[in-house]
Amino acid sequence: DTGVSQDPRHKITKRGQNVTFRCDPISEHNRLYWYRQTLGQGPEFLTYFQNEAQLEKSRLLSDRFSAERPKGSFSTLEIQRTEQGDSAMYLCASSLLQGSEQYFGPGTRLTVT
Amino acid sequence: DQQVKQNSPSLSVQEGRISILNCDYTNSMFDYFLWYKKYPAEGPTFLISISSIKDKNEDGRFTVFLNKSAKHLSLHIVPSQPGDSAVYFCAASARGGDDKIIFGKGTRLHILP
């Protein structure tokens, strides 16, 4: 198993465009998490899934953000009508059910110009 | 409001000496604590964790100490090695680690030759 993978690693987009990121968790992990990290900050929780069910969403996750995990495998995070404030590193992590040791992917760095 | 605080943005330690990274938390519901290490352009990597039923957990060169009454934890690295130079994040979770993880802002550790 190669761990958590994320695609793309980098994305540059113009303000107002939509972007979608993908995360492939470690195969036997039931839980999948999305975080956002900006410069000088730690990762901030956005949302998480247990299998295909989205169990919690942070208030940081505005209506422009949507996440899915069809069939409980990979997940996508979509940002509609991007704003410059959306520029950040978007991290995905996965863990076993009821395990708290989350394993992170390398992240997708989004730059909104 | 920062529920997990790492008040030292950076720390420099001589190779071979002990590195001590500190962390304070405010939420009494936290009962599971973790340390992650992050290199540039990579996602955070899990290092070590501790449950609130313990006051110490050791794994090789890494030891985490928890003082529940002071709401304080620390990570000791002995002896410090050049490869330990990275950003270290303190993190906390509730419900025995079954809740989302809240991260501190991180401490950048420099190991000096």
Side-chain angles (χ1 to χ4, degrees), chain A residues 2 6 87 92-93 109:
Chain A
T2 56
Q6 293 186 246
S87 296
C92 174
R109 181 168 294 285

Side-chain angles (χ1 to χ4, degrees), chain B residues 13-27:
Chain B
V13 174
Q14 209 77 33
E15 182 179 352
R17 305 294 290 267
I18 182 171
S19 295
I20 300 176
L21 294 95
N22 293 302
C23 176
D24 298 294
Y25 62 96
T26 58
N27 190 338

Side-chain angles (χ1 to χ4, degrees), chain A residues 35-68:
Chain A
Y35 292 85
R36 181 173 67 190
Q37 186 178 15
T38 53
L39 196 63
Q41 303 293 320
E44 295 175 292
F45 170 79
L46 292 178
T47 187
Y48 87 95
F49 294 83
Q50 182 167 301
N51 300 314
E52 65 274 10
Q54 188 173 18
L55 296 189
E56 187 172 349
K57 291 194 291 187
S58 164
R59 56 185 168 81
L60 293 175
L61 212 66
S62 76
D63 291 344
R64 297 184 296 105
F65 288 69
S66 62
E68 293 182 344

Side-chain angles (χ1 to χ4, degrees), chain A residues 9 31 42 56 98 100 102 105, chain B residues 32 36 41 43 89 97-98 100 104:
Chain A
R9 294 292 305 274
R31 290 197 171 177
E56 187 172 349
Q98 297 182 339
S100 62
Q102 296 177 18
Chain B
Y32 198 84
Y36 281 81
F89 291 103
D98 201 35
K100 60 182 178 289

Side-chain angles (χ1 to χ4, degrees), chain B residues 22-72:
Chain B
N22 293 302
C23 176
D24 298 294
Y25 62 96
T26 58
N27 190 338
S28 300
M29 299 301 292
F30 290 151
D31 57 7
Y32 198 84
F33 305 90
L34 311 94
W35 285 92
Y36 281 81
K37 174 181 180 180
K38 186 179 184 305
Y39 293 120
E42 295 182 11
T45 302
F46 170 75
L47 261 182
I48 192 168
S49 62
I50 187 167
S51 163
S52 60
I53 62 173
K54 293 185 174 182
D55 54 18
K56 176 183 173 181
N57 189 27
E58 196 170 351
D59 184 2
R61 296 185 299 113
F62 302 92
T63 303
V64 56
F65 294 91
L66 175 62
N67 182 334
K68 289 187 292 293
S69 60
K71 293 192 176 66
H72 177 83

